[in-house]
Amino acid sequence: MTTRDLVLSALFAAIIVALGLLPPIPIGIIAVPITAQSLGVMLAGVVLGAKRGAIAVLIVVVLVSIGLPVLSGGRGGLSVFAGPTAGFFIGWTFAAYITGYLSERLVKAEQTGIAQGIGFFIASVIGGVVVLYAFGIGWLALVANIDFGKAFFGSMAFVPGDLAKAVVAALVGRAVMAGYPLLPQRT
Amino acid sequence: MQTLHVDVDTWMHRISPRLKLGMLAVLGIILFLIDSVALLALAVAIGALLYFRTGLPAGEALKRLRPILLSIAVVTLFGLIFNPIHVAIVTTLRLVALVLFAATVTATTSIAAFMDEITALAAPLERLGLLKAADIGLAVGLVVRFVPEILDRYRAIREAHEARGIKIRIATTLAPLIILTLRDADNIAAAIDARGIRRH
């Protein structure tokens, strides 16, 4: 890993931490304020690609493990790994990796803006919703003794918000791609 | 950046971090094997006793665990609806005990001690050529250094939006924030290499 890649991942980890400190920002269409940290996970994949994006999220995981309150609401420490929603947190790294992997394959520099946006949206939904929820719901079912199907339906309440985040991730991913492309330079 | 480590000196602070983390892992497994309400209630009592003896004021100690206890409460409600009451109680006690023990380890172990353990854990991966253990410390340092800067930048972008009468939208603020931040990567990387911090 080059020093530049390491720095890019660390800076993105810092952005994810900062997103947890910002007051919730209302997302365009929906008036519901949404904590932006899980959006940061999608963005890590969309902006940096699979490997660097996953490493950025892993750095956040390390920060949480060593007892820094870097998650939204000042959460942190090892107790994060013990709660019923730990699966979502553990799934973050995989979500960023899959989002990045799909972004690298679906989005090309020569495509039109709309095609890029759609590619980023699909990558964000599969990585940041499908993969992430597989981890989150699986853990919830296992640890909290809730039937898998019921855990699944209980979690569906959060899907509309996460789909809105995928839209934002696609828009921001496209804007970053136009302004400062990092995704095509694979390492 | 403040930490969740409590900087006092109790006997729990003096136990070796490796031993504490090992015990936490073993406890995690044991707690999931126990099904007895009495034993799990005892585990919660011991966990609470230890956690409230870490030197944290009780109010602050509770405040730290509030979000996670709230999520456990939601899961308990779910459990009470769908599961037999015995299962719901066992699950809740188990999670609360584990959270208390984990929070105790976090409160009594310093960042430096944690970093030493993580570096030791990464050593076998380094031998496999997957990563450099020293990079983990470097990355953590970079994040701590740059979070305040990113927050300042976010404020500046917000003010620029307000000055131009543009509504603050997450999509229009995040893109410039990310581009401005990542554009520094080349300079920072050059500075790190110039100082020979990551010697090959």
Side-chain angles (χ1 to χ4, degrees), chain B residues 79-98:
Chain B
L80 281 173
I81 299 170
F82 296 120
N83 286 335
I85 190 157
H86 173 78
V87 176
I89 292 173
V90 163
T91 308
T92 305
L93 289 175
R94 187 182 281 156
L95 288 173
V96 172
L98 198 54

mmCIF file of all heavy atoms in Angstrom, chain B residues 79-98:
data_model
loop_
_atom_site.group_PDB
_atom_site.id
_atom_site.type_symbol
_atom_site.label_atom_id
_atom_site.label_comp_id
_atom_site.label_asym_id
_atom_site.label_seq_id
_atom_site.Cartn_x
_atom_site.Cartn_y
_atom_site.Cartn_z
ATOM 1 N N GLY B 79 -38.427 -9.025 21.798
ATOM 2 C CA GLY B 79 -38.337 -10.386 22.313
ATOM 3 C C GLY B 79 -39.562 -10.766 23.120
ATOM 4 O O GLY B 79 -40.063 -11.889 23.024
ATOM 5 N N LEU B 80 -40.068 -9.818 23.912
ATOM 6 C CA LEU B 80 -41.232 -10.109 24.751
ATOM 7 C C LEU B 80 -42.461 -10.389 23.902
ATOM 8 O O LEU B 80 -43.338 -11.168 24.281
ATOM 9 C CB LEU B 80 -41.508 -8.935 25.697
ATOM 10 C CG LEU B 80 -40.595 -8.862 26.931
ATOM 11 C CD1 LEU B 80 -40.843 -7.571 27.691
ATOM 12 C CD2 LEU B 80 -40.817 -10.065 27.838
ATOM 13 N N ILE B 81 -42.518 -9.737 22.728
ATOM 14 C CA ILE B 81 -43.677 -9.960 21.857
ATOM 15 C C ILE B 81 -43.592 -11.332 21.194
ATOM 16 O O ILE B 81 -44.575 -12.071 21.128
ATOM 17 C CB ILE B 81 -43.753 -8.847 20.786
ATOM 18 C CG1 ILE B 81 -43.919 -7.486 21.471
ATOM 19 C CG2 ILE B 81 -44.897 -9.105 19.816
ATOM 20 C CD1 ILE B 81 -43.765 -6.306 20.541
ATOM 21 N N PHE B 82 -42.376 -11.706 20.727
ATOM 22 C CA PHE B 82 -42.275 -12.892 19.875
ATOM 23 C C PHE B 82 -41.775 -14.142 20.592
ATOM 24 O O PHE B 82 -41.945 -15.240 20.098
ATOM 25 C CB PHE B 82 -41.345 -12.607 18.691
ATOM 26 C CG PHE B 82 -41.870 -11.543 17.787
ATOM 27 C CD1 PHE B 82 -41.148 -10.385 17.561
ATOM 28 C CD2 PHE B 82 -43.098 -11.701 17.165
ATOM 29 C CE1 PHE B 82 -41.638 -9.397 16.726
ATOM 30 C CE2 PHE B 82 -43.588 -10.721 16.330
ATOM 31 C CZ PHE B 82 -42.856 -9.563 16.106
ATOM 32 N N ASN B 83 -41.062 -13.960 21.719
ATOM 33 C CA ASN B 83 -40.444 -15.120 22.354
ATOM 34 C C ASN B 83 -41.110 -15.437 23.686
ATOM 35 O O ASN B 83 -41.771 -14.583 24.267
ATOM 36 C CB ASN B 83 -38.959 -14.835 22.609
ATOM 37 C CG ASN B 83 -38.145 -14.869 21.334
ATOM 38 O OD1 ASN B 83 -38.518 -15.518 20.368
ATOM 39 N ND2 ASN B 83 -37.048 -14.147 21.331
ATOM 40 N N PRO B 84 -40.888 -16.654 24.187
ATOM 41 C CA PRO B 84 -41.301 -16.942 25.565
ATOM 42 C C PRO B 84 -40.571 -15.987 26.511
ATOM 43 O O PRO B 84 -39.438 -15.575 26.229
ATOM 44 C CB PRO B 84 -40.830 -18.380 25.787
ATOM 45 C CG PRO B 84 -40.472 -18.918 24.461
ATOM 46 C CD PRO B 84 -40.270 -17.788 23.524
ATOM 47 N N ILE B 85 -41.189 -15.643 27.624
ATOM 48 C CA ILE B 85 -40.641 -14.613 28.508
ATOM 49 C C ILE B 85 -39.263 -15.004 29.037
ATOM 50 O O ILE B 85 -38.378 -14.163 29.182
ATOM 51 C CB ILE B 85 -41.646 -14.310 29.648
ATOM 52 C CG1 ILE B 85 -41.179 -13.070 30.420
ATOM 53 C CG2 ILE B 85 -41.823 -15.485 30.586
ATOM 54 C CD1 ILE B 85 -42.310 -12.382 31.136
ATOM 55 N N HIS B 86 -39.049 -16.293 29.260
ATOM 56 C CA HIS B 86 -37.769 -16.769 29.770
ATOM 57 C C HIS B 86 -36.641 -16.420 28.790
ATOM 58 O O HIS B 86 -35.595 -15.879 29.179
ATOM 59 C CB HIS B 86 -37.841 -18.292 29.989
ATOM 60 C CG HIS B 86 -36.521 -18.900 30.347
ATOM 61 N ND1 HIS B 86 -35.998 -18.815 31.615
ATOM 62 C CD2 HIS B 86 -35.614 -19.573 29.601
ATOM 63 C CE1 HIS B 86 -34.816 -19.415 31.629
ATOM 64 N NE2 HIS B 86 -34.568 -19.895 30.426
ATOM 65 N N VAL B 87 -36.869 -16.667 27.508
ATOM 66 C CA VAL B 87 -35.861 -16.397 26.483
ATOM 67 C C VAL B 87 -35.553 -14.902 26.435
ATOM 68 O O VAL B 87 -34.388 -14.486 26.348
ATOM 69 C CB VAL B 87 -36.342 -16.906 25.111
ATOM 70 C CG1 VAL B 87 -35.349 -16.544 24.018
ATOM 71 C CG2 VAL B 87 -36.558 -18.409 25.154
ATOM 72 N N ALA B 88 -36.610 -14.078 26.509
ATOM 73 C CA ALA B 88 -36.418 -12.627 26.439
ATOM 74 C C ALA B 88 -35.571 -12.138 27.614
ATOM 75 O O ALA B 88 -34.678 -11.294 27.445
ATOM 76 C CB ALA B 88 -37.774 -11.926 26.423
ATOM 77 N N ILE B 89 -35.841 -12.671 28.801
ATOM 78 C CA ILE B 89 -35.080 -12.235 29.984
ATOM 79 C C ILE B 89 -33.622 -12.672 29.869
ATOM 80 O O ILE B 89 -32.707 -11.886 30.119
ATOM 81 C CB ILE B 89 -35.729 -12.795 31.275
ATOM 82 C CG1 ILE B 89 -37.085 -12.120 31.493
ATOM 83 C CG2 ILE B 89 -34.831 -12.565 32.476
ATOM 84 C CD1 ILE B 89 -37.891 -12.703 32.627
ATOM 85 N N VAL B 90 -33.403 -13.931 29.463
ATOM 86 C CA VAL B 90 -32.036 -14.441 29.312
ATOM 87 C C VAL B 90 -31.252 -13.578 28.320
ATOM 88 O O VAL B 90 -30.124 -13.156 28.587
ATOM 89 C CB VAL B 90 -32.069 -15.925 28.856
ATOM 90 C CG1 VAL B 90 -30.720 -16.352 28.302
ATOM 91 C CG2 VAL B 90 -32.476 -16.819 30.006
ATOM 92 N N THR B 91 -31.876 -13.284 27.168
ATOM 93 C CA THR B 91 -31.201 -12.490 26.143
ATOM 94 C C THR B 91 -30.818 -11.121 26.681
ATOM 95 O O THR B 91 -29.692 -10.643 26.483
ATOM 96 C CB THR B 91 -32.128 -12.323 24.924
ATOM 97 O OG1 THR B 91 -32.589 -13.599 24.536
ATOM 98 C CG2 THR B 91 -31.410 -11.664 23.777
ATOM 99 N N THR B 92 -31.763 -10.480 27.365
ATOM 100 C CA THR B 92 -31.509 -9.127 27.867
ATOM 101 C C THR B 92 -30.378 -9.135 28.893
ATOM 102 O O THR B 92 -29.449 -8.320 28.806
ATOM 103 C CB THR B 92 -32.788 -8.563 28.509
ATOM 104 O OG1 THR B 92 -33.832 -8.647 27.550
ATOM 105 C CG2 THR B 92 -32.585 -7.133 28.945
ATOM 106 N N LEU B 93 -30.441 -10.059 29.854
ATOM 107 C CA LEU B 93 -29.396 -10.116 30.892
ATOM 108 C C LEU B 93 -28.035 -10.361 30.260
ATOM 109 O O LEU B 93 -27.031 -9.749 30.628
ATOM 110 C CB LEU B 93 -29.720 -11.222 31.898
ATOM 111 C CG LEU B 93 -30.903 -10.955 32.840
ATOM 112 C CD1 LEU B 93 -31.181 -12.184 33.694
ATOM 113 C CD2 LEU B 93 -30.634 -9.748 33.730
ATOM 114 N N ARG B 94 -27.996 -11.258 29.298
ATOM 115 C CA ARG B 94 -26.754 -11.613 28.629
ATOM 116 C C ARG B 94 -26.132 -10.386 27.967
ATOM 117 O O ARG B 94 -24.948 -10.085 28.134
ATOM 118 C CB ARG B 94 -27.087 -12.677 27.583
ATOM 119 C CG ARG B 94 -25.918 -13.292 26.909
ATOM 120 C CD ARG B 94 -26.416 -14.277 25.896
ATOM 121 N NE ARG B 94 -26.812 -15.548 26.470
ATOM 122 C CZ ARG B 94 -27.684 -16.388 25.899
ATOM 123 N NH1 ARG B 94 -28.265 -16.051 24.766
ATOM 124 N NH2 ARG B 94 -27.961 -17.529 26.462
ATOM 125 N N LEU B 95 -26.956 -9.650 27.211
ATOM 126 C CA LEU B 95 -26.440 -8.475 26.502
ATOM 127 C C LEU B 95 -25.995 -7.392 27.471
ATOM 128 O O LEU B 95 -24.945 -6.785 27.308
ATOM 129 C CB LEU B 95 -27.515 -7.927 25.543
ATOM 130 C CG LEU B 95 -27.784 -8.766 24.299
ATOM 131 C CD1 LEU B 95 -28.976 -8.209 23.535
ATOM 132 C CD2 LEU B 95 -26.567 -8.777 23.388
ATOM 133 N N VAL B 96 -26.803 -7.161 28.529
ATOM 134 C CA VAL B 96 -26.451 -6.113 29.499
ATOM 135 C C VAL B 96 -25.134 -6.469 30.193
ATOM 136 O O VAL B 96 -24.248 -5.619 30.349
ATOM 137 C CB VAL B 96 -27.578 -5.906 30.525
ATOM 138 C CG1 VAL B 96 -27.130 -4.966 31.640
ATOM 139 C CG2 VAL B 96 -28.818 -5.341 29.843
ATOM 140 N N ALA B 97 -24.974 -7.748 30.580
ATOM 141 C CA ALA B 97 -23.743 -8.168 31.251
ATOM 142 C C ALA B 97 -22.540 -7.939 30.340
ATOM 143 O O ALA B 97 -21.523 -7.362 30.748
ATOM 144 C CB ALA B 97 -23.846 -9.639 31.647
ATOM 145 N N LEU B 98 -22.684 -8.359 29.078
ATOM 146 C CA LEU B 98 -21.572 -8.229 28.136
ATOM 147 C C LEU B 98 -21.205 -6.762 27.916
ATOM 148 O O LEU B 98 -20.025 -6.389 27.899
ATOM 149 C CB LEU B 98 -21.961 -8.897 26.812
ATOM 150 C CG LEU B 98 -20.816 -9.244 25.877
ATOM 151 C CD1 LEU B 98 -19.788 -10.089 26.584
ATOM 152 C CD2 LEU B 98 -21.339 -9.974 24.657
#
